Amino acid sequence: MKARYDAIYRDIRESIENGTYPYQGFLPSEAELTATYDCSHNTLRRALGLLRDQGYVQPVHGKGVRVIYQEPERTTFTVGGIESFHEAEERIRLDAQTEVVALEQVTATPEISFRTGFEEGTELTSIVRVRRIGGEALILDVNLFRAASIPGITEEVARGSVYEYAEKDLGVSIAMSKRAITVERATARDRELLDLGDIDYLAVITSQTFDAQGILIECTQSRHRPDHFCFRDTAVRHRV
Amino acid sequence: MKARYDAIYRDIRESIENGTYPYQGFLPSEAELTATYDCSHNTLRRALGLLRDQGYVQPVHGKGVRVIYQEPERTTFTVGGIESFHEAEERIRLDAQTEVVALEQVTATPEISFRTGFEEGTELTSIVRVRRIGGEALILDVNLFRAASIPGITEEVARGSVYEYAEKDLGVSIAMSKRAITVERATARDRELLDLGDIDYLAVITSQTFDAQGILIECTQSRHRPDHFCFRDTAVRHRV
DNA sequence: GCCGATTTGTCCGTATGTATC
DNA sequence: CGATACATACGGACAAATCGG
């Protein structure tokens, strides 16, 4: 990314994460930072806004910008929050062995349309995958991709990263996603495909992903065994 | 709130929610909007940025700003996401009957300090509350408030909204919060206080809340019966 | 395929308001 | 009160993407 504000954001974030700007300390003032980065007031503020939104700093009017970032514990598989968009999926993919359970073409029925938001009759590629981590089947992913946007998904692609395929090979740009987290009782299929033991509830992330055009290109259900699930989030108060 | 960009954000958001700007349609161009709101390019862009961050719109370079907001179903108690900061707690409070199970003063032990992030020796007010909705005990809230920031919490206050008390009566301003969502097995206390039946897992929101100074003023665990829990979230891709 | 109009994206410089110390 | 620092807003400029002729 070439944007100035983004480079500044990343640079300051790096300094916070490596401890140059410690927890509960203050950043240099806007004036100093605009000098060191040789940028305008506006551009620096945009970078600071990103840091605030991501939970790294808390600007205090008339005083300074306080650092509130603390290293998160990484004992479980974290999704959301400070991590960037598909970083979590990436990390899971790296640590996990993926088994493709099913891969087929379907057409959106009225019921699918209602459940997913795809228009009725849309051609879809359906994938069911199991993620094994440390030999245990922990995550069941059920994806529906809009075939017109992401064509040519093979089992080969499904075993790796469909996102990487879409972005690198097809040039499709993923722009934003809406997620809902619920806790659901394990179904017969969950029990069959995952190593659940006596666990009968799963953490479920249901998400819709839109491309840069604002077109719905994917719906996913990611069903996690609860002892390996953690979702982190930072909420900034939108002043009232 | 008096900020121009905020007023514009709210006004456009309202028009999206009531259908004036329909799903998958385009907003008027920046030029038109700056004319109607009589504001600068920059100010309008800030409002549009908020709409994008909250998942209402998807700006498409060179084309326009597409509306991607869809009315969420309200079958369960939703927290997070498009809803503003403590709106969810507010709504729960209105619908729920709150029973205060415990209220006491404690001092942060090393263990509490490690678990919550409060400095060792900090004076805290501990509250345990059960939320009943439709006669069923569904949510168990365990709060730890920093007594120096929010003093004088009575059972009366605890039965209502501590946030309202802090903001309206004490003038404490809540600025941001970090949350983690996990799924945990029900403890003996959960079973005792909540109506769980044969349910043995709970959705747990663990959060830290910071004031406008960036000081940690509250830690909460909110333990929900899964069939009434839904957390919504919008993630905007931060271009790479 | 090129050009120009439209529209969003980024950045700058400046001015003013407001909170803290 | 004045100095410092963050918050908001304006107006102008140029870049980049899209679309139609």
Side-chain angles (χ1 to χ4, degrees):
Chain A
M1 184 66 176
K2 51 219 155 164
R4 290 278 293 274
Y5 70 84
D6 193 73
I8 297 168
Y9 158 70
R10 285 162 190 274
D11 194 74
I12 298 178
R13 185 183 66 180
E14 174 62 26
S15 296
I16 291 173
E17 285 176 347
N18 72 24
T20 305
Y21 299 133
Y23 178 64
Q24 290 292 325
F26 283 93
L27 256 47
S29 73
E30 272 184 29
E32 291 175 73
L33 288 173
T34 53
T36 63
Y37 288 109
D38 188 31
C39 71
S40 79
H41 175 65
N42 254 324
T43 302
L44 180 75
R45 283 196 61 63
R46 194 156 171 188
L48 292 178
L50 282 175
L51 289 166
R52 182 204 55 207
D53 291 346
Q54 303 300 315
Y56 284 93
V57 302
Q58 173 70 51
V60 184
H61 198 148
K63 278 187 81 173
V65 180
R66 195 191 301 267
V67 177
I68 57 173
Y69 170 84
Q70 286 171 293
E71 186 70 32
E73 321 85 82
R74 287 292 175 112
T75 52
T76 52
F77 283 90
T78 305
V79 292
I82 276 174
E83 278 192 288
S84 75
F85 202 64
H86 279 294
E87 231 176 87
E89 274 96 332
E90 271 307 295
R91 192 153 43 73
I92 287 173
R93 187 175 67 84
L94 292 177
D95 296 347
Q97 289 160 322
T98 299
E99 180 194 335
V100 180
V101 175
L103 192 163
E104 54 182 341
Q105 303 300 317
V106 298
T107 305
T109 62
E111 196 231 333
I112 290 177
S113 169
F114 176 76
R115 274 208 346 260
T116 64
F118 284 116
E119 207 175 329
E120 206 176 315
T122 308
E123 293 298 318
L124 304 171
T125 304
S126 163
I127 310 179
V128 179
R129 288 178 289 188
V130 172
R131 314 284 195 178
R132 279 203 169 66
I133 294 156
E136 285 192 293
L138 296 180
I139 304 171
L140 178 63
D141 277 349
V142 181
N143 304 69
L144 283 173
F145 294 95
R146 184 168 177 269
S149 297
I150 309 181
I153 299 177
T154 62
E155 192 168 326
E156 179 69 33
V157 171
R159 219 173 297 117
S161 166
V162 177
Y163 290 107
E164 204 172 294
Y165 169 69
E167 297 212 295
K168 297 228 167 70
D169 296 357
L170 300 180
V172 175
S173 57
I174 292 153
M176 80 138 236
S177 115
K178 300 182 184 188
R179 297 178 285 206
I181 299 175
T182 53
V183 178
E184 298 180 15
R185 210 175 271 253
T187 65
R189 182 172 66 171
D190 294 329
R191 305 209 150 276
E192 181 192 329
L193 295 173
L194 299 179
D195 296 333
L196 295 183
D198 68 339
I199 295 170
D200 62 346
Y201 277 88
L202 296 177
V204 179
I205 304 180
T206 307
S207 68
Q208 293 178 303
T209 303
F210 295 82
D211 68 8
Q213 313 294 308
I215 303 294
L216 178 62
I217 59 172
E218 188 220 343
C219 280
T220 296
Q221 266 220 359
S222 193
R223 305 172 71 81
H224 295 242
R225 204 172 82 179
D227 55 336
H228 283 72
F229 175 81
C230 179
F231 178 91
R232 289 179 198 283
D233 181 57
T234 301
V236 176
R237 174 126 218 202
H238 189 223
R239 286 176 205 65
V240 183
Chain B
M1 183 65 177
K2 52 223 155 160
R4 291 277 294 273
Y5 71 84
D6 193 74
I8 296 168
Y9 158 70
R10 284 161 190 274
D11 194 74
I12 297 177
R13 185 183 66 179
E14 173 63 25
S15 295
I16 291 172
E17 285 177 346
N18 72 25
T20 305
Y21 299 133
Y23 178 64
Q24 290 291 321
F26 283 93
L27 256 46
S29 74
E30 273 185 29
E32 290 176 73
L33 288 173
T34 51
T36 63
Y37 289 109
D38 187 31
C39 70
S40 77
H41 176 63
N42 257 323
T43 303
L44 181 74
R45 284 195 61 62
R46 192 156 174 187
L48 292 178
L50 281 175
L51 288 166
R52 182 204 55 208
D53 292 345
Q54 302 299 314
Y56 285 92
V57 302
Q58 173 71 50
V60 184
H61 196 152
K63 277 187 81 173
V65 180
R66 180 176 260 128
V67 177
I68 57 173
Y69 170 84
Q70 285 172 296
E71 185 69 33
E73 323 83 79
R74 288 293 174 112
T75 53
T76 52
F77 283 89
T78 305
V79 293
I82 276 174
E83 280 192 285
S84 74
F85 204 63
H86 278 294
E87 233 176 85
E89 274 96 333
E90 271 308 295
R91 190 154 43 73
I92 287 174
R93 189 174 67 82
L94 293 176
D95 295 347
Q97 290 161 324
T98 300
E99 179 194 337
V100 180
V101 176
L103 192 164
E104 54 181 343
Q105 303 299 317
V106 297
T107 305
T109 63
E111 196 232 332
I112 290 178
S113 170
F114 176 77
R115 275 207 347 261
T116 63
F118 283 116
E119 209 175 328
E120 206 176 314
T122 308
E123 293 297 319
L124 304 170
T125 305
S126 162
I127 310 179
V128 179
R129 289 178 289 187
V130 171
R131 315 284 195 177
R132 278 203 169 67
I133 295 156
E136 285 192 293
L138 297 180
I139 304 170
L140 178 63
D141 278 348
V142 181
N143 302 69
L144 284 174
F145 292 96
R146 183 167 178 271
S149 297
I150 310 180
I153 299 177
T154 62
E155 192 167 326
E156 178 70 31
V157 171
R159 218 174 296 118
S161 167
V162 177
Y163 289 109
E164 204 173 292
Y165 169 69
E167 296 211 294
K168 297 230 168 71
D169 296 356
L170 300 181
V172 175
S173 57
I174 291 153
M176 80 136 234
S177 115
K178 299 183 184 187
R179 297 178 285 204
I181 298 174
T182 53
V183 177
E184 297 179 16
R185 209 176 272 254
T187 65
R189 182 171 68 172
D190 295 329
R191 306 209 150 277
E192 181 194 328
L193 295 173
L194 299 179
D195 296 332
L196 294 183
D198 68 339
I199 295 169
D200 61 347
Y201 277 87
L202 296 178
V204 179
I205 304 180
T206 307
S207 68
Q208 295 177 302
T209 303
F210 296 82
D211 68 9
Q213 313 295 310
I215 302 294
L216 178 61
I217 58 172
E218 188 218 345
C219 278
T220 296
Q221 265 221 359
S222 193
R223 305 172 72 83
H224 295 242
R225 203 173 83 179
D227 54 336
H228 282 73
F229 175 81
C230 179
F231 178 92
R232 285 178 201 283
D233 181 56
T234 301
V236 176
R237 175 129 216 199
H238 190 222
R239 284 174 208 66
V240 182

